[in-house]
Amino acid sequence: MTKETKIHLCSIADDTDLRSLQVQIGNKELKTPTKAIATNSFYKDTSFPKELCDLQELFLKFDEGSLIKKDQDLKFSSDKNKQLKREKEKANGCPYFCLLEFKNKGENWRYPTEKEIDILTNVAYSHSDITPVPSVPKVARNLNVENFDAFIKYLDSCYNSIEIRNKKNIMGYIPATVPLFGRELINYYLYKGINAYYVDFDGNMITTHIDMLNAMKRELAKRGYEENHLFHFVNVSYGKSINDQKVMSARDILGFGYGLDSLGGIHSGPKRSPEFYEKLKAMKDISRNTKRLLNVDDYGYYRFDSVKDNLQSIYPADALISIDELNTITESRLEKYLKIVNLQQQCIEADKLAQVTTEEPDKSLEYFKSKKNVLKNDLKYLSKSSN
């Protein structure tokens, strides 16, 4: 059986679920709250500050065809390994893990076969300091009471595959779904000795699944793990960025106030038919609307074109990319540059939140209230007195 991840509670807020942990990932230490960095959007000359590199999230997506190639095609397999090696080298030696996603081709969904599971877990183990159970989003979207036992059998297969030769901790996979399944999965993983989890929100906002999140926290508390667990959230949406709104609330960062320890990236792909997205493109300027700049001073994601002419008013003074560079680059490079700047600011804000929970644990809600783009309804969800 795998060993539990060593977790020490450093501090916790009095009025929200914001907290700070010391976590041992392999032979490395992680301090939370943190924003996991993804270096796949970095350029060769991108030098990300070492003090902001707390945790790295790698990501690979496979279907049945690419899994066969990963297992049998030397060039394909080597290229994937080299890709991950390059990404790791840009993260200044911080702890890392590789999230894997399996999506079979076609509209129908299925679980990976036993052989496919072995390939997936081997890749995850080979490129992680803590091994994540591979995700199956097409399956997760169709979970119900009648087929949930099959999902548990899938988790069993992944666990057994990793345990064949395991010297690392395991990170459990929890799809954001109904409260019942959240409770069941927490108990399943604790029985296996797993107390670190990544929750896949599949492109939804945290508040969409607030009841499941609270159900999991209650179950952890019942089992004596209220503070002895790690939550890493992936595919968290702050809202429909394709809409025309000039500024949108940074509801992803608010996740730290809900008990999130580490915020991951957005990897979820399209859920609807290609025809739907073609119609959407005709109605919305998606390219314009999705280019957004984060301002951590007021928790707003600003549509870049709406602030371009007055950029200095909200542009971070310590940004890795200068304003002059943003104004002279191509559209394709602009998108990547904004990702880099936003990532840097998310990391800085996570460190600031660690400071808040340590130095002013009774004022975390007041801190979130000070951000003008935080919605009143979200503040109600954040407040411990409302839960």
Side-chain angles (χ1 to χ4, degrees):
M1 179 182 287
T2 186
K3 293 181 180 179
E4 290 183 358
T5 301
K6 291 182 180 179
I7 298 170
H8 171 69
L9 176 66
C10 299
S11 56
I12 187 167
D14 300 326
D15 48 3
T16 69
D17 281 337
L18 179 67
R19 63 182 188 165
S20 179
L21 303 174
Q22 193 80 29
V23 184
Q24 186 171 332
I25 305 291
N27 60 357
K28 303 169 186 175
E29 294 292 331
L30 167 67
K31 184 76 177 286
T32 74
T34 189
K35 172 68 175 86
I37 65 169
T39 60
N40 57 335
S41 62
F42 288 7
Y43 289 97
K44 285 185 178 180
D45 58 350
T46 302
S47 179
F48 206 74
K50 187 173 183 178
E51 64 272 16
L52 298 180
C53 295
D54 299 324
L55 180 67
Q56 182 180 23
E57 179 185 278
L58 304 163
F59 176 77
L60 290 176
K61 182 187 296 185
F62 290 102
D63 58 28
E64 49 268 79
S66 56
L67 267 183
I68 291 173
K69 292 176 71 176
K70 184 69 181 76
D71 194 45
Q72 300 178 10
D73 188 315
L74 178 61
K75 184 178 185 309
F76 183 88
S77 184
S78 296
D79 285 347
K80 289 293 182 185
N81 292 338
K82 288 175 183 177
Q83 171 196 330
L84 295 177
K85 182 175 181 291
R86 287 193 299 269
E87 291 183 25
K88 292 175 198 173
E89 289 171 348
K90 298 174 185 177
N92 295 301
C94 68
Y96 59 86
F97 57 84
C98 184
L99 296 182
L100 295 186
E101 177 183 292
F102 176 78
K103 277 188 178 179
N104 61 289
K105 292 180 179 178
E107 293 184 7
N108 296 325
W109 55 272
R110 70 168 177 85
Y111 288 98
T113 64
E114 184 178 346
K115 181 179 179 181
E116 289 169 335
I117 287 173
D118 281 341
I119 299 170
L120 287 165
T121 57
N122 183 56
V123 175
Y125 185 88
S126 300
H127 296 285
S128 302
D129 288 322
I130 180 171
T131 308
V133 173
S135 69
V136 283
K138 288 178 75 172
V139 171
R141 290 169 195 160
N142 293 278
L143 284 181
N144 56 47
V145 174
E146 285 73 29
N147 64 25
F148 185 67
D149 284 348
F151 184 73
I152 294 296
K153 288 180 181 178
Y154 164 71
L155 297 182
D156 274 335
S157 296
C158 292
Y159 175 82
N160 292 333
S161 178
I162 296 170
E163 284 291 280
I164 290 172
R165 183 180 178 275
N166 184 28
K167 298 180 181 180
K168 302 175 184 179
N169 299 118
I170 295 175
M171 179 179 279
Y173 159 55
I174 300 179
T177 175
V178 296
L180 170 63
F181 298 160
R183 292 192 298 270
E184 292 289 328
L185 290 173
I186 289 297
N187 280 301
Y188 170 84
Y189 284 124
L190 289 179
Y191 178 76
K192 298 287 189 183
I194 298 170
N195 61 333
Y197 321 105
Y198 75 96
V199 184
D200 185 356
F201 282 83
D202 199 22
N204 294 309
M205 290 184 288
I206 292 172
T207 51
T208 304
H209 296 286
I210 194 68
D211 54 348
M212 179 199 175
L213 183 56
N214 281 323
M216 290 192 296
K217 288 189 285 188
R218 286 169 60 86
E219 202 63 31
L220 285 160
K222 283 181 186 178
R223 298 286 301 275
Y225 284 81
E226 185 171 13
E227 305 306 339
N228 186 25
H229 70 273
L230 175 75
F231 271 145
H232 177 81
F233 291 177
V234 296
N235 295 318
V236 174
S237 171
Y238 57 81
K240 295 181 179 179
S241 62
I242 61 172
N243 287 344
D244 297 330
Q245 289 171 261
K246 290 184 178 181
V247 60
M248 299 186 71
S249 179
R251 303 175 85 180
D252 50 348
I253 299 178
L254 283 183
F256 293 116
Y258 295 114
L260 161 67
D261 301 305
S262 173
L263 178 62
I266 300 287
H267 314 294
S268 54
K271 302 176 189 177
R272 303 199 187 186
S273 66
E275 292 77 20
F276 171 82
Y277 290 102
E278 286 302 317
K279 290 180 181 178
L280 195 62
K281 287 178 184 178
M283 299 165 57
K284 302 280 186 181
D285 191 339
I286 296 177
S287 177
R288 180 200 68 180
N289 293 351
T290 53
K291 291 184 178 69
R292 293 185 178 267
L293 175 68
L294 171 63
N295 180 12
V296 293
D297 290 335
D298 63 16
Y299 275 30
Y301 279 102
Y302 287 81
R303 215 179 66 204
F304 184 73
D305 72 297
S306 70
V307 295
K308 187 176 181 181
D309 294 335
N310 191 30
L311 201 52
Q312 286 185 332
S313 64
I314 66 165
Y315 200 71
D318 55 358
L320 290 175
I321 312 298
S322 71
I323 290 180
D324 290 340
E325 286 179 283
L326 284 183
N327 287 328
T328 58
I329 56 175
T330 61
E331 284 293 303
S332 59
R333 185 168 279 248
L334 172 63
E335 186 173 359
K336 280 196 173 184
Y337 272 3
L338 288 174
K339 284 184 179 180
I340 293 170
V341 173
N342 289 345
L343 174 62
Q344 181 192 10
Q345 296 310 303
Q346 289 168 335
C347 290
I348 291 172
E349 184 60 16
D351 287 348
K352 173 64 178 175
L353 290 172
Q355 184 181 340
V356 169
T357 190
T358 301
E359 298 178 3
E360 299 180 297
D362 59 334
K363 295 182 179 179
S364 67
L365 189 62
E366 185 178 319
Y367 179 81
F368 288 124
K369 282 181 180 178
S370 72
K371 309 297 184 178
K372 73 175 185 180
N373 286 307
V374 173
L375 305 177
K376 288 183 179 180
N377 203 44
D378 285 336
L379 290 170
K380 290 180 182 178
Y381 280 126
L382 283 172
S383 175
K384 276 185 177 178
S385 62
S386 299
N387 291 333

